[in-house]
Amino acid sequence: MSNVKLVKKIVYTGTITLKTGLHIGGTNAALNIGGPDKFVVRNPINNIPYIPGSSLKGKMRALIEIYHECVDVKKKDGKIIEVKASSNPDSVSGYLFGVSADSKNTESKHYASRLIVRDAELNVDATDFSNTDLPYTESKTEVAIDRVTAKANPRTFERVPAGAQFKLNMVLNIFEGDVESKLIATLKQAIELLQDDYLGGHGSRGYGQVEIDELEGVAKSYKPCPLTIS
């Protein structure tokens, strides 16, 4: 676990296709009268929506933790009071996604993440956005019903519409002593679980179903570079 010699990198590319509308929340600083109540995250330079790498990686890790029960449970008086990611670097999730150091426990193990997940850029040329009511997105109005008064409370969410495609880019670092096949298998399982779950918010209401295809991994090895003193 302590080895730091990098053996190679496997660069994964692919396509994330939205099967249903996607909402990953951004800032509401630029509120417009009559516009959505909740906006999606956008690149502030070109105003194009994207999928943050943190959202993609966090969801995949959470699904692996749930599937393999890679969690630490804290109980008090027989009741569960806290559930958090496993601090065991040998767990399935910890082996791929890493384990952060515990500042309260200096003797706790920590293990660097083997996976880098880039922000996924929207492929603006792959989809016709000419009919969307917002730039590259749609507004979807939902109605919450008060269970007592039956009063309707409408709310509007901004979503990237179904059919949009994003460019997936991930890097898997392989260090000396790592079991490469185990890391790759866990990553592929995380992708499979994600496709049968959802990405972003409001997934139980139909948002965020994705399909990941054209996944390709290219291994890159690096020759040693000896230091020379001239």
Side-chain angles (χ1 to χ4, degrees), residues 120-178:
E121 299 178 357
L122 177 66
N123 188 348
V124 297
D125 298 323
T127 306
D128 181 10
F129 293 98
S130 60
N131 292 324
T132 58
D133 51 344
L134 296 168
Y136 307 106
T137 61
E138 63 179 349
S139 56
K140 182 177 184 292
T141 301
E142 301 178 356
V143 178
I145 305 297
D146 188 291
R147 299 302 191 271
V148 177
T149 65
K151 180 180 178 180
N153 179 29
R155 54 192 179 183
T156 304
F157 294 90
E158 183 182 23
R159 310 193 312 176
V160 182
Q165 295 183 351
F166 291 83
K167 302 174 184 177
L168 176 65
N169 188 298
M170 302 183 295
V171 179
L172 181 61
N173 289 317
I174 307 297
F175 289 87
E176 188 176 59
D178 286 345

Side-chain angles (χ1 to χ4, degrees), residues 63-204:
L63 290 170
I64 287 294
E65 288 172 348
I66 294 170
Y67 186 80
H68 291 279
E69 295 184 292
C70 301
V71 294
D72 292 333
V73 180
K74 184 177 181 180
K75 295 183 179 181
K76 185 177 182 180
D77 298 330
K79 296 181 180 180
I80 297 176
I81 60 174
E82 183 181 17
V83 178
K84 61 181 182 179
S86 174
S87 58
N88 181 7
D90 294 315
S91 67
V92 176
S93 65
Y95 195 63
L96 175 62
F97 296 101
V99 175
S100 60
D102 187 348
S103 59
K104 298 180 181 179
N105 182 6
T106 57
E107 296 182 357
S108 65
K109 293 182 179 180
H110 60 277
Y111 183 61
S113 173
R114 271 24 184 185
L115 183 64
I116 300 171
V117 183
R118 313 287 191 195
D119 290 346
E121 299 178 357
L122 177 66
N123 188 348
V124 297
D125 298 323
T127 306
D128 181 10
F129 293 98
S130 60
N131 292 324
T132 58
D133 51 344
L134 296 168
Y136 307 106
T137 61
E138 63 179 349
S139 56
K140 182 177 184 292
T141 301
E142 301 178 356
V143 178
I145 305 297
D146 188 291
R147 299 302 191 271
V148 177
T149 65
K151 180 180 178 180
N153 179 29
R155 54 192 179 183
T156 304
F157 294 90
E158 183 182 23
R159 310 193 312 176
V160 182
Q165 295 183 351
F166 291 83
K167 302 174 184 177
L168 176 65
N169 188 298
M170 302 183 295
V171 179
L172 181 61
N173 289 317
I174 307 297
F175 289 87
E176 188 176 59
D178 286 345
V179 182
E180 181 179 332
S181 59
K182 181 179 178 181
L183 292 169
I184 293 175
T186 304
L187 176 58
K188 290 184 176 180
Q189 185 178 57
I191 292 174
E192 292 176 0
L193 290 169
L194 176 61
Q195 292 183 113
D196 290 329
D197 206 271
Y198 64 88
L199 185 62
H202 318 299
S204 64

